[in-house]
Structures are given as C-alpha cells and as structure tokens.
Amino acid sequence: MEKYKTLEIVQQNPNSPVFNLHLNRPSLLNALSLDFFTEFPKALSSLDQNPNVAVIVLSGNGDHFCSGIDLKALSSITSESSDHGRTAERVRREIKRFQEAVTAVERCRKPVIAAVHGACIGGGVDIITACDIRYCTERAFFSVKEVDLAITADLGTLQRLPSIIGHGSTMELALTGRRFSGSEAKELGLVSKVFSTKDAMDEGVRAVAEEIGAKSPLAVTGTKAVLLRSRDLTLDQGLDYVATWNSGMLLSDDLVEAISSYSQKRRPSFSKL
Ligand SMILES: CC/C=C\C=C\CC(=O)SCCNC(=O)CCNC(=O)[C@H](O)C(C)(C)COP(=O)(O)OP(=O)(O)OC[C@H]1O[C@@H](n2cnc3c(N)ncnc32)[C@H](O)[C@@H]1OP(=O)(O)O
C-alpha cells in the first residue's frame, strides 16, 4: 500500500472489499494542506483501480473529521506578486486543481461513504457533499464556514449541497456560516443516520459498506455513475443515458448469478471489477 503524508489507507479485514481512507493530520484536526490536494486524487485513483476494493469509507483520524482548508496553505496560494493578471491566473489554476481533487470522489467508480465525527468545516463539507453516502455521530458539527473567511465557497459545496438538502437550506447555511449539529444534518438530509458514538458509527458504517460490497460490482458502479450523471440531465436525458448504459452492462455474469442464487436460495457471489 502506498504511503501518504496526509492520508492513510487501511484494510481492516484482508478478506473484505471495504477499505478505509483516513484523513491523517490529527494534530491539525485534519486541515487540508497543499499535499492533501495532490494525494487525495492519487489515493482515490489507486483504490478505484484496485480490484480488491469495492467500497471506500472516508473518515478522519483523531477527534475531528476535518477543520477545512489549512489556513497556512490558504495564505501561500493567495500571496501577491506585482502582476495582478498573472497572480489571478495562478490562483484560478490552484482553485481548479483543488476542485479536481474533491471531484475525484465522484470520478471514483466505487461508492465512497463519509463517516463524520467532530468538526466538518469548510473544505470538509466540500468533500462530504461529493461522497455517495454520509453518516455522522451525535457530537459531529458542520459549518459552511467560507463566508466568515471572506471567501465564496469554491470547492463544490455551493454546486452539490442544493441537490442534497435543497436550495433554500444551502443558501441559509452558506450565507450565515453557522454551525449545525449532527441531528440538524439528519433533519436536513445531509446525513442518512446519526450514531451515538464513533465506535457505533464505525461498526454501523462498516456493516453498510460490507452489505454494498457483497452486491454486483457492475450494478453498484452503474448505480453511482447513472445517479451522478442524471443529477445534471433532464429526466428524458437521464432515462436515455441509463437505457444506453444498460444496453452495454445488463447482460452480464452478475445478472445470471443474481437470478440463479435467488432461485437456489443462496447468497450470490460476484467476481471483482
Ligand atoms: C482556494 C480556497 C479553497 C478552499 C477553501 C476552503 C475554505 C475553508 O475550509 S473555510 C474553513 C477554514 N477552517 C476554519 O475556519 C476552522 C478553524 N478551526 C477551528 O475553528 C477550530 O480549530 C475547531 C475546528 C472549531 C476546533 O477547535 P478546538 O477543538 O478548540 O481546536 P484548536 O485548538 O482550535 O485546534 C487545534 C490545532 O489545530 C489547528 N487548526 C485547526 N484548524 C485549522 C485549520 N483549518 N488550518 C490550520 N490549522 C488549524 C489550530 O491552530 C491548533 O493548532 P495549535 O498549533 O495547537 O495552535
């Protein structure tokens, strides 16, 4: 397994297709450094390419999920030179690079589940809104904090959060930057479930991930791909897209196995992707 400065990949059980990806700068509450934006897409791509991986669980080492952009990294990308045009072009390129790093979660064919405890602030919210499923603990707290740093949030929250919790709630959270709790995140639909403790969340999320990991990899990756694509299409275009997708993917060994295991009353067994 590759080594990273800001991340850690753990396979808890060698027979399991569930891999954990940990944000790993716990002394700085997993603040997102420049290295993170290079390493995160690399780590996701390596998990995506690894046939032993079916599901990825993203969480934070230490007491918090993520305290947002590393405030030192932020000052390094905005440092001024005398040429405003060139400075602006460089800053734009950096923002695009950071955006691509977050979008790597969506580019990964395999489901990525966010498990949030403690703080999930700014860039942390950008990351979890790109994830496929979100859970948190009772002590988790969230903030779309950018407005308080005089920043228009630019790594995906303003684009992805509305389709998760609606335009009005996104506007209110992004304009106020206020902190909200795990239970409010559940009420809003940002997370699917709130667990009482981190241990309970780790166990509950692992069970969900194992359940998804035992399903047809073709159907799981197809579901992720089609749902994400359909978000940005009209209904008719989305239906057309899935018809074309399934004309290529439906007639698979997985379909034969799903039907025969059902009639033989046994658990299906699918080959890796
Ligand atoms: C181009 C732009 C791209 C992206 C932009 C993204 C925007 C954002 O992400 S906006 C959000 C930025 N983050 C914040 O404003 C959060 C700052 N942190 C906090 O508010 C608090 O740390 C806390 C999360 C509420 C937790 O508080 P507490 O438990 O009291 O811990 P602390 O003592 O404050 O922190 C411990 C240690 O970590 C350092 N630290 C925390 N957050 C960051 C950070 N984001 N960047 C750098 N360092 C951070 C903090 O300074 C402490 O370090 P010491 O050396 O011990 O002082």
Side-chain angles (χ1 to χ4, degrees):
M1 212 90 74
E2 219 170 311
K3 290 268 177 221
Y4 299 96
K5 287 186 201 160
T6 65
L7 297 165
E8 180 187 41
I9 296 178
V10 177
Q11 183 186 21
Q12 276 180 4
N13 171 349
N15 300 316
S16 165
V18 176
F19 280 58
N20 291 84
L21 177 58
H22 299 292
L23 306 180
N24 192 27
R25 293 179 87 210
S27 62
L28 295 177
L29 323 187
N30 299 317
L32 307 172
S33 61
L34 294 180
D35 284 332
F36 166 83
F37 290 104
T38 305
E39 292 185 342
F40 192 55
K42 273 195 191 152
L44 283 165
S45 169
S46 84
L47 290 165
D48 193 22
Q49 299 306 311
N50 182 342
N52 295 319
V53 179
V55 181
I56 299 154
V57 177
L58 177 67
S59 61
N61 280 341
D63 295 336
H64 296 274
F65 177 76
C66 174
S67 63
I69 191 92
D70 185 320
L71 297 169
K72 288 194 192 91
L74 192 58
S75 52
S76 80
I77 73 152
T78 53
S79 60
E80 270 293 333
S81 86
S82 56
D83 182 339
H84 176 75
R86 281 179 174 71
T87 303
E89 200 279 335
R90 186 177 51 76
V91 171
R92 182 173 193 277
R93 230 177 325 120
E94 277 299 83
I95 294 171
K96 297 287 286 179
R97 185 171 81 83
F98 294 178
Q99 289 175 343
E100 272 303 310
V102 174
T103 299
V105 176
E106 290 186 349
R107 298 215 196 287
C108 176
R109 292 166 304 151
K110 295 154 185 183
V112 181
I113 304 177
V116 177
H117 71 293
C120 178
I121 298 181
V125 179
D126 288 303
I127 292 170
I128 65 162
T129 55
C131 290
D132 303 302
I133 310 179
R134 289 158 291 276
Y135 296 105
C136 74
T137 63
E138 271 172 14
R139 294 182 64 183
F141 58 95
F142 303 80
S143 165
V144 183
K145 184 78 179 149
E146 284 84 344
V147 70
D148 290 334
L149 274 79
I151 298 173
T152 302
D154 55 5
L155 301 189
T157 292
L158 300 186
Q159 289 67 37
R160 295 186 173 102
L161 195 55
S163 68
I164 302 170
I165 67 168
H167 177 91
S169 296
T170 301
M171 190 67 94
E172 192 259 338
L173 294 174
L175 287 178
T176 62
R178 72 176 173 83
R179 231 186 231 208
F180 57 103
S181 64
S183 60
E184 187 176 354
K186 171 76 177 73
E187 273 169 39
L188 288 164
L190 177 59
V191 299
S192 298
K193 185 169 176 178
V194 182
F195 291 89
S196 54
T197 63
K198 176 149 183 349
D199 284 349
M201 176 171 71
D202 289 346
E203 197 180 316
V205 172
R206 169 152 286 272
V208 173
E210 294 285 354
E211 187 186 334
I212 296 170
K215 295 185 190 295
S216 152
L218 273 177
V220 168
T221 56
T223 301
K224 172 168 178 168
V226 168
L227 255 173
L228 283 176
R229 191 78 187 93
S230 299
R231 180 188 60 190
D232 306 324
L233 298 175
T234 64
L235 176 68
D236 270 358
Q237 289 167 334
L239 288 170
D240 211 43
Y241 185 74
V242 73
T244 306
W245 182 281
N246 266 0
S247 69
M249 310 286 180
L250 187 72
L251 303 177
S252 68
D253 290 350
D254 291 14
L255 179 67
V256 175
E257 171 62 5
I259 293 170
S260 56
S261 64
Y262 176 76
S263 49
Q264 291 161 14
K265 299 189 191 320
R266 61 172 173 80
R267 287 172 70 82
S269 169
F270 300 106
S271 53
K272 297 167 182 173
L273 198 61

Coordinates of all heavy atoms in Angstrom, one line a residue, residues 4-9 21-33 36 39 59-68 70 117-119 198:
Y4 N 1.3 7.9 2.3 CA 0.9 9.3 2.1 C 1.3 10.2 3.3 O 1.3 9.6 4.4 CB -0.6 9.4 1.8 CG -1.0 8.7 0.6 CD1 -1.5 7.4 0.7 CD2 -0.9 9.2 -0.7 CE1 -2.0 6.7 -0.4 CE2 -1.3 8.5 -1.8 CZ -1.8 7.2 -1.7 OH -2.2 6.5 -2.8
K5 N 1.5 11.5 3.1 CA 1.7 12.4 4.2 C 0.4 12.7 4.9 O 0.4 13.0 6.1 CB 2.4 13.7 3.7 CG 3.8 13.6 3.3 CD 4.3 15.0 3.0 CE 5.5 14.9 2.1 NZ 5.8 16.2 1.4
T6 N -0.7 12.8 4.2 CA -1.9 13.4 4.7 C -3.0 12.4 4.8 O -4.1 12.8 5.3 CB -2.4 14.6 3.8 OG1 -2.8 14.1 2.6 CG2 -1.3 15.6 3.7
L7 N -2.8 11.2 4.4 CA -3.8 10.2 4.3 C -3.3 8.8 4.8 O -2.1 8.6 4.8 CB -4.3 10.0 2.9 CG -5.0 11.2 2.2 CD1 -5.0 11.0 0.7 CD2 -6.3 11.5 2.8
E8 N -4.2 8.0 5.1 CA -3.8 6.6 5.5 C -4.9 5.7 4.9 O -6.1 6.0 5.0 CB -3.8 6.5 7.0 CG -3.4 5.2 7.5 CD -3.6 5.1 9.1 OE1 -4.6 5.7 9.6 OE2 -2.8 4.5 9.7
I9 N -4.4 4.6 4.2 CA -5.4 3.6 3.7 C -5.3 2.4 4.6 O -4.2 1.9 4.8 CB -5.1 3.3 2.2 CG1 -5.3 4.5 1.4 CG2 -6.0 2.1 1.7 CD1 -5.0 4.3 -0.1
L21 N -10.3 5.0 4.1 CA -9.4 6.1 3.8 C -9.5 7.1 4.9 O -10.6 7.7 5.1 CB -9.8 6.6 2.4 CG -9.0 7.8 1.9 CD1 -7.5 7.5 1.7 CD2 -9.6 8.2 0.5
H22 N -8.4 7.3 5.6 CA -8.4 8.2 6.7 C -7.7 9.5 6.4 O -6.6 9.5 5.9 CB -7.7 7.7 8.0 CG -8.3 6.4 8.5 ND1 -9.5 6.3 9.1 CD2 -7.8 5.1 8.5 CE1 -9.7 5.0 9.4 NE2 -8.7 4.3 9.1
L23 N -8.3 10.7 6.7 CA -7.6 11.9 6.7 C -6.7 11.8 7.9 O -7.1 11.5 9.0 CB -8.6 13.1 6.8 CG -9.8 13.2 5.8 CD1 -10.6 14.4 6.1 CD2 -9.2 13.2 4.4
N24 N -5.4 12.2 7.7 CA -4.4 11.8 8.7 C -3.5 12.9 9.1 O -2.3 12.8 8.9 CB -3.7 10.6 8.2 CG -2.8 9.9 9.3 OD1 -3.2 10.1 10.5 ND2 -1.8 9.3 8.9
R25 N -4.1 14.1 9.5 CA -3.2 15.1 10.1 C -3.9 15.5 11.4 O -4.4 16.6 11.6 CB -3.2 16.4 9.2 CG -2.4 16.2 7.9 CD -2.4 17.5 7.2 NE -1.4 18.4 7.5 CZ -1.5 19.7 7.5 NH1 -2.7 20.3 7.1 NH2 -0.5 20.5 7.8
P26 N -4.0 14.5 12.3 CA -4.9 14.7 13.5 C -4.5 15.9 14.4 O -5.4 16.5 15.0 CB -4.8 13.4 14.3 CG -3.6 12.7 13.7 CD -3.4 13.2 12.3
S27 N -3.2 16.2 14.4 CA -2.8 17.3 15.3 C -3.3 18.7 14.8 O -3.5 19.6 15.6 CB -1.2 17.4 15.5 OG -0.7 17.6 14.2
L28 N -3.6 18.8 13.5 CA -4.2 20.0 13.0 C -5.7 19.7 12.6 O -6.2 20.4 11.7 CB -3.4 20.5 11.8 CG -2.0 21.0 12.1 CD1 -1.2 21.4 10.9 CD2 -2.0 22.1 13.1
L29 N -6.3 18.7 13.2 CA -7.7 18.4 13.0 C -8.0 18.1 11.6 O -9.1 18.5 11.1 CB -8.6 19.5 13.6 CG -8.2 20.2 14.9 CD1 -9.3 21.2 15.3 CD2 -7.8 19.3 16.0
N30 N -7.0 17.5 10.9 CA -7.1 17.1 9.5 C -7.4 18.3 8.6 O -8.1 18.1 7.6 CB -8.2 16.0 9.3 CG -7.8 14.8 10.1 OD1 -6.6 14.4 10.1 ND2 -8.7 14.2 10.9
A31 N -6.8 19.4 8.9 CA -6.8 20.6 8.0 C -6.2 20.2 6.6 O -5.2 19.4 6.6 CB -6.0 21.7 8.6
L32 N -6.8 20.7 5.6 CA -6.4 20.3 4.2 C -5.2 21.1 3.7 O -5.4 22.3 3.3 CB -7.6 20.4 3.3 CG -8.9 19.8 3.8 CD1 -10.1 20.2 2.9 CD2 -8.7 18.2 3.8
S33 N -4.0 20.4 3.6 CA -2.8 21.1 3.2 C -2.7 21.0 1.6 O -3.4 20.3 1.0 CB -1.6 20.4 3.8 OG -1.6 19.1 3.4
F36 N -2.4 17.5 0.6 CA -3.6 16.8 0.6 C -4.2 16.8 -0.8 O -4.7 15.8 -1.4 CB -4.6 17.3 1.6 CG -6.0 16.9 1.4 CD1 -6.4 15.6 1.8 CD2 -6.9 17.6 0.6 CE1 -7.7 15.1 1.6 CE2 -8.2 17.1 0.3 CZ -8.6 15.9 0.8
E39 N -2.4 14.4 -2.9 CA -2.5 13.0 -2.5 C -3.9 12.4 -2.6 O -4.1 11.2 -2.9 CB -2.0 12.8 -1.1 CG -0.5 13.1 -1.0 CD 0.1 12.8 0.4 OE1 -0.7 12.8 1.4 OE2 1.3 12.7 0.5
S59 N -13.0 8.7 6.6 CA -13.2 9.3 7.9 C -11.9 10.0 8.3 O -11.0 10.1 7.6 CB -13.5 8.2 8.9 OG -12.5 7.3 9.0
G60 N -11.9 10.6 9.5 CA -10.8 11.4 10.0 C -10.1 10.7 11.2 O -10.8 10.2 12.1
N61 N -8.8 10.7 11.2 CA -8.1 10.2 12.4 C -8.1 11.3 13.5 O -8.1 12.5 13.1 CB -6.6 9.9 12.1 CG -6.5 8.5 11.4 OD1 -7.4 7.7 11.5 ND2 -5.4 8.2 10.7
G62 N -8.1 10.9 14.7 CA -8.1 11.9 15.8 C -9.6 12.3 16.2 O -10.5 11.5 15.9
D63 N -9.7 13.5 16.8 CA -11.0 13.9 17.3 C -12.0 14.5 16.4 O -13.1 14.8 16.7 CB -10.8 14.9 18.5 CG -10.0 14.2 19.6 OD1 -10.1 12.9 19.7 OD2 -9.3 14.9 20.4
H64 N -11.5 14.8 15.1 CA -12.3 15.6 14.2 C -12.2 15.0 12.8 O -11.2 14.4 12.4 CB -11.9 17.0 14.1 CG -12.1 17.8 15.4 ND1 -13.3 18.3 15.8 CD2 -11.2 18.0 16.5 CE1 -13.2 18.9 17.0 NE2 -11.9 18.7 17.4
F65 N -13.3 15.1 12.0 CA -13.2 14.7 10.6 C -12.3 15.6 9.8 O -11.3 15.2 9.3 CB -14.7 14.7 10.0 CG -14.7 14.4 8.6 CD1 -14.5 13.1 8.1 CD2 -14.9 15.3 7.6 CE1 -14.6 12.7 6.8 CE2 -14.9 15.0 6.2 CZ -14.7 13.7 5.8
C66 N -12.6 17.0 9.9 CA -11.8 17.9 9.1 C -12.1 19.3 9.4 O -13.3 19.7 9.4 CB -12.1 17.7 7.6 SG -11.3 18.8 6.5
S67 N -11.0 20.1 9.7 CA -11.2 21.5 10.1 C -11.1 22.5 8.9 O -10.9 23.7 9.0 CB -10.2 21.9 11.1 OG -8.9 21.8 10.6
G68 N -11.3 21.9 7.7 CA -11.3 22.8 6.5 C -9.9 23.0 5.9 O -8.9 22.3 6.3
D70 N -6.3 24.2 5.2 CA -5.2 24.6 6.2 C -5.0 26.1 6.0 O -4.7 26.6 4.8 CB -3.9 23.8 5.8 CG -2.8 24.1 6.8 OD1 -2.7 25.3 7.2 OD2 -2.1 23.1 7.2
H117 N -17.1 12.6 12.4 CA -17.2 12.8 13.8 C -16.5 14.1 14.1 O -15.6 14.5 13.4 CB -16.6 11.7 14.6 CG -15.1 11.6 14.5 ND1 -14.4 11.3 13.3 CD2 -14.1 11.9 15.4 CE1 -13.1 11.4 13.5 NE2 -12.9 11.7 14.8
G118 N -16.9 14.8 15.2 CA -16.3 16.1 15.5 C -16.5 17.1 14.4 O -17.6 17.1 13.7
A119 N -15.5 18.0 14.1 CA -15.7 19.1 13.2 C -15.8 18.6 11.7 O -15.0 17.8 11.3 CB -14.6 20.1 13.3
K198 N -18.6 7.3 18.2 CA -17.7 7.0 17.0 C -17.6 5.5 16.8 O -17.6 5.0 15.7 CB -16.3 7.6 17.2 CG -15.4 7.3 16.1 CD -14.4 8.3 15.8 CE -13.5 8.1 14.6 NZ -13.4 6.8 14.0

